[in-house]
Amino acid sequence: MRIGIDLGGTKIEGIALDDAGQVLVRRRVPTPRGDYAGTVAAIAALVDEIESATAARGSVGVGIPGALSRVTGRVKNANSTWLNDRPLHGDLESALGREVRLANDANCFALSEAVDGAGRGARVVFGVILGTGVGGGIVVDGRLLEGPNAIAGEWGHNPLPLPAGDDLPLRACWCGRAGCIENYLCGPALSREREIDGEAALTRYEARLARALAGVINLLDPDVIVLGGGVSNLDRLYENVPRLWGAHVFSDHVATRLAKHVHGDSSGVRGAAWLWGGAMVVKSAPRPQRRLS
Ligand SMILES: [Zn+2]
């Protein structure tokens, strides 16, 4: 049995999957916001509950906002900022009494869609979350790419390409930079602009998304780009964005597909469970030594 936990900013979701990817049990609790010890305890309690309900012990994978620093082993880059610089990996392993795998939540989304979702059977999958924040993950031949800096796919904090007109002045980002893609393509930004400009805001959004994804296509040349997060439910994106991105891709023809997620809100938690996929998931660098705190 594989247990997946999705640690979100407002809720923590847990599921247990059998070998065929069928959901055995699903549980959800509110995230103790701002409370690190409470967050660790809530995850441990959720795993306990799932194991009681199934009367089985499972492997545990956890999708987190941010990533584990290769230098300190602690959480970095999390917009749930109370997790940053905390030894979450070690604390979860202590609390659960077993080895635990952690990965960025957008990576979990990409893995889930590559294993048995919209990217099934594709060699190179780029998964994108267009939600409260913007994240991305890369899966190649069924393997999650993490990289020596643990930031592979972190496209949301690249600058928006070709900023002009309404893109300016560059918007300040929580990460300390300005003009990050996240500030233009996250759900809250789109909602704000739609309230003011209606349809025009959507057209502008599609143009921005097309420019930003064209950069991904030039660099990675994925077979499929899978969209997740609240904004991904706008069906018009799948027709309009590929019509626009050709102008910015260095090719006479773009074969890359833009696809909607298959598992919806469950992709993150399913991908976390699939972190224990055996040979399917390979880490590209060894885990750093943990510091004693
Ligand atoms: Zn940023």
Side-chain angles (χ1 to χ4, degrees), residues 156-158 172-183:
H157 296 274
N158 270 15
C173 185
W174 64 268
C175 77
R177 296 168 188 84
C180 290
I181 284 169
E182 175 167 292
N183 299 113

Side-chain angles (χ1 to χ4, degrees), residues 87-217:
L88 182 62
H89 199 176
D91 287 344
L92 283 177
E93 290 189 336
S94 301
L96 292 167
R98 76 196 82 179
E99 198 187 329
V100 174
R101 290 184 181 167
L102 265 68
N104 171 260
D105 47 13
N107 284 5
C108 290
F109 168 78
L111 183 61
S112 165
E113 292 295 329
V115 169
D116 61 358
R120 181 181 209 145
R123 269 208 71 192
V124 180
V125 178
F126 184 59
V128 178
I129 304 271
L130 300 171
T132 314
V134 172
I138 299 167
V139 178
V140 180
D141 291 331
R143 294 175 180 181
L144 196 51
L145 191 67
E146 291 194 299
N149 304 300
I151 54 165
E154 281 296 354
W155 160 83
H157 296 274
N158 270 15
L160 180 75
L162 298 174
D166 291 313
D167 305 334
L168 298 171
L170 295 179
R171 299 175 188 176
C173 185
W174 64 268
C175 77
R177 296 168 188 84
C180 290
I181 284 169
E182 175 167 292
N183 299 113
Y184 296 91
L185 297 184
C186 68
L190 177 60
S191 300
R192 270 195 309 273
E193 291 183 59
R194 276 180 94 175
E195 265 171 39
I196 300 165
D197 289 338
E199 176 91 4
L202 270 178
T203 306
R204 205 157 57 220
Y205 185 92
E206 286 164 348
R208 288 170 178 160
L209 182 57
R211 298 201 308 270
L213 289 177
V216 173
I217 296 172

Side-chain angles (χ1 to χ4, degrees), residues 216-229:
V216 173
I217 296 172
N218 280 342
L219 189 69
L220 185 65
D221 203 358
D223 296 279
V224 56
I225 295 173
V226 186
L227 302 184

